[in-house]
Amino acid sequence: MNSCIFCKIASGEIPAEKIFETEHAIAFLDIMPRAPGHTMVIPKIHAENLSDLPREEVGPYFEACQRATDLIKKALTPDGFTLGMNYGRVSGQEVDHLHFHILPRWQGDGGHSLQSVVSNKPTEDVKIIAEKIRKAT
Ligand code: 5GP
Ligand code: ZN
C-alpha cells in the first residue's frame, strides 16, 4: 500500500486546496504556508526527487510549475518569488514525493535569498569542482 501523503492528494484520497490539475501534475496550497499563496506543484506519479522523475515527465511537470507561478502572479501580484525544491533530508525535504515550492515574495516580508540557506564555502578551486562535475556525465 502506498502511504505517500502527496500520492494521496494526487488520487483525491486526502483533500487539498487545489489550484489546478493537468494530466501530469497538480498544484495545491501548502497546508502550513510560509507566505500567502505558498503553493506546491507535484507530479502525479510518485518520484522521490527530481532525479527520479522520468525524463518524459520533466517537461510537463515544469510547465505546470510555470503555469502555477503565473497564475499566482496575476492573482496576488507579489513583488517576486522564491522558487525551489528541497532534495534530501539534509536540505529539509520532509515529504518524499517531489514537490516544487512556489513562495510569493513581497518587499519587507522578512525573507532572504535562496542561496542564503547554506554557508559552506568551497575550499577547492572552482575549476577543479567544475571539471569533476563535467566528468560525471
Ligand atoms: P518539504 O520540507 O518536504 O520540502 O515540504 C513539505 C511541505 O509539504 C511542507 O511545507 C508542508 O507544510 C507541506 N505538507 C505536508 N503535508 C501536507 C498535506 O497533507 N497537505 C498539504 N497541502 N501540504 C502538506
Ligand atoms: Zn508519492
Side-chain angles (χ1 to χ4, degrees), residues 72-126:
I72 296 163
K73 190 174 174 181
K74 277 191 188 142
L76 305 181
T77 60
D79 297 319
F81 289 94
T82 294
L83 306 171
M85 298 171 175
N86 295 317
Y87 183 145
R89 287 284 175 273
V90 73
S91 73
Q93 184 175 9
E94 289 177 356
V95 178
D96 292 332
H97 182 129
L98 172 62
H99 50 281
F100 188 74
H101 287 267
I102 300 174
L103 287 152
R105 298 293 305 271
W106 282 270
Q107 295 293 341
D109 64 10
H112 301 284
S113 67
L114 204 55
Q115 62 270 37
S116 68
V117 300
V118 64
S119 184
N120 179 22
K121 295 227 169 79
T123 50
E124 275 182 313
D125 190 84
V126 288

Side-chain angles (χ1 to χ4, degrees), residues 5-6 9 28-32 40 86 92-95 99 101:
I5 195 136
F6 285 179
I9 286 176
F28 56 94
L29 293 184
D30 195 297
I31 204 167
M32 289 177 65
M40 265 172 316
N86 295 317
Q93 184 175 9
E94 289 177 356
V95 178
H99 50 281
H101 287 267

Side-chain angles (χ1 to χ4, degrees), residues 2 4-7 45-47 96-97:
N2 186 355
C4 171
I5 195 136
F6 285 179
C7 279
I45 60 162
H46 182 85
D96 292 332
H97 182 129

